[in-house]
Amino acid sequence: MNRIFSGVQPTGNLHLGNYLGAIRNWVDLQGDYDCIFCIVDLHALTLPQDRELLRAHTREVTAAYLAAGIDPEKCIIFNQSAVPGHSELAWLFACITPLGWLNRMTQFKEKAGKRRDNAGLGLYAYPVLMAADILLYKATHVPVGEDQKQHLELARDIAGAFNRQFGTDYFPLPEPQILGQAARVMSLRDGTAKMSKSDASDYSRINMTDDADTIALKIRKARTDPEPLPETVEGLQGRAEADNLVGIFAALTRTSRADVLGRFGGAMFSEFKDALAAVAVDALGPIASEMQRLVAEPGYVDGVLRRGAERAGEIAHSHLSEIHRIVGLLRP
Ligand code: TRP
């Protein structure tokens, strides 16, 4: 069976963009693939974290996976640092990755900013750790957003370099499953900016933990233009906010923008927003309350993570023995 690996950083404020853009797709994949879903806490350490918040967010992301319908019996759910093989394989990969490959990574340039000499080695090596995450399990498919495409290509390059250098076909070249435009959710305050956990305004996003009243209020206050909704998808051009709200409605109801406009074309936003709020509360309300319940039960969540780390650890351990043999490390 083909194997999926994907991960989310435990940085809090999980929102509708994370749900529609990642987590909901994973729920759909779990029947067809052998799935491993990770909370990548070591990646979070590439930037400074508060230790209590890091732990709380690790549990919160786990609760979000579970509340959204990821089944810990079907999938492996665990936090990265609980399986030490990730760091170990990252080192082995670091030894075969040319600096030139890392110098091309656009996300490092963005995150490091102007003061590149002060950026941490971890931030620079981030994509090498990501390659290790995927290849430690010999995953064949990786569902990620557009922004991770370059990192995934690097993972393929590293797998190829390893195979070539050691004369083996040990690692598969993992296929990206890029989640497209349909899953891209923009800010409720600015239809040209991505919905983001770090936006100062909480009204810019619908959090996965928002209750029904909050969801409805945020949608009612969402920015729009004064025109009624267009009749066709072409009519959404140049109307970023309208496009975003119609796109959210379509994603939540698993239809297309054209279908939504077939129903609401010509309507005023007040009417459309009421319908959107109802649809959003319907889809997210139960997830939010299940998340609240799970966050209040850290013992259960930790149990899921512990069991997941055991199962992931077994695979990692057996692959690492093979990798040691291939590389020429002695296991006395
Ligand atoms: N870099 C990814 C992100 O920020 C998270 C991640 C880490 C990941 N390791 C991964 C995603 C492995 C897919 C596979 O979104």
Side-chain angles (χ1 to χ4, degrees):
M1 183 133 107
N2 284 322
R3 177 172 283 160
I4 288 219
F5 185 99
S6 198
V8 166
Q9 289 196 40
T11 42
N13 278 350
L14 280 181
H15 54 68
L16 184 64
N18 301 112
Y19 177 63
L20 291 177
I23 299 172
R24 192 181 71 174
N25 298 285
W26 300 357
V27 178
D28 299 339
L29 294 166
Q30 62 185 339
D32 302 328
Y33 293 85
D34 174 13
C35 290
I36 305 179
F37 298 122
C38 189
I39 297 100
V40 290
D41 49 6
L42 296 175
H43 275 105
L45 293 182
T46 55
L47 297 173
Q49 301 290 334
D50 174 276
R51 74 168 77 90
E52 292 311 327
L53 278 178
L54 179 60
R55 266 193 281 271
H57 289 155
T58 301
R59 292 190 176 117
E60 192 180 302
V61 174
T62 310
Y65 287 5
L66 295 171
I70 294 175
D71 180 350
E73 297 301 318
K74 284 194 199 140
C75 308
I76 296 179
I77 303 173
F78 76 109
N79 59 313
Q80 191 183 25
S81 62
V83 177
H86 291 252
S87 311
E88 186 182 339
L89 187 58
W91 173 257
L92 299 179
F93 285 164
C95 295
I96 61 162
T97 306
L99 291 182
W101 290 3
L102 292 177
N103 288 337
R104 289 204 295 267
M105 297 294 116
T106 55
Q107 197 173 79
F108 173 75
K109 291 179 201 170
E110 279 160 29
K111 286 196 185 172
K114 285 199 174 62
R115 299 169 32 137
R116 205 180 296 181
D117 281 354
N118 289 312
L121 177 58
L123 193 65
Y124 189 63
Y126 178 115
V128 177
L129 179 60
M130 180 164 160
D133 296 339
I134 297 162
L135 294 166
L136 183 56
Y137 304 96
K138 302 217 249 179
T140 52
H141 293 80
V142 184
V144 281
E146 187 72 36
D147 63 325
Q148 295 298 314
K149 204 169 153 188
Q150 195 185 34
H151 289 161
L152 213 66
E153 275 157 17
L154 185 81
R156 287 169 64 87
D157 289 344
I158 290 175
F162 182 97
N163 288 348
R164 231 174 304 109
Q165 183 155 334
F166 297 103
T168 163
D169 58 0
Y170 187 74
F171 288 118
L173 303 190
E175 289 291 335
Q177 292 181 321
I178 302 294
L179 304 162
Q181 186 64 29
R184 227 169 116 84
V185 177
M186 311 305 279
S187 158
L188 298 181
R189 308 249 90 181
D190 173 2
T192 64
K194 250 175 91 167
M195 188 174 281
S196 160
K197 54 188 151 204
S198 50
D199 194 312
S201 166
D202 200 52
Y203 281 94
S204 70
R205 65 184 160 260
I206 295 174
N207 298 306
M208 283 185 74
T209 45
D210 284 344
D211 61 22
D213 290 345
T214 310
I215 295 173
L217 179 66
K218 285 177 175 176
I219 290 176
R220 215 174 320 123
K221 284 187 173 285
R223 185 165 156 194
T224 51
D225 56 49
E227 302 297 318
L229 285 157
E231 307 278 346
T232 64
V233 176
E234 293 74 58
L236 289 170
Q237 262 179 30
R239 298 177 65 184
E241 284 78 20
D243 185 49
N244 186 37
L245 295 183
V246 169
I248 291 173
F249 194 106
L252 284 171
T253 54
R254 297 180 186 267
T255 54
S256 64
R257 282 174 167 75
D259 286 334
V260 177
L261 294 176
R263 197 169 139 202
F264 292 99
M268 298 306 290
F269 271 107
S270 52
E271 180 193 339
F272 176 65
K273 281 179 164 181
D274 283 345
L276 177 58
V279 161
V281 167
D282 232 35
L284 298 174
I287 297 178
S289 47
E290 179 64 1
M291 254 182 95
Q292 308 283 18
R293 193 184 72 77
L294 289 167
V295 165
E297 244 189 285
Y300 173 75
V301 171
D302 287 6
V304 168
L305 290 174
R306 217 176 300 119
R307 177 81 191 104
E310 265 169 35
R311 291 165 65 200
E314 279 169 27
I315 304 171
H317 187 77
S318 98
H319 286 173
L320 273 168
S321 313
E322 295 164 349
I323 295 165
H324 278 213
R325 189 150 23 80
I326 292 169
V327 170
L329 296 168
L330 178 68
R331 284 240 168 139

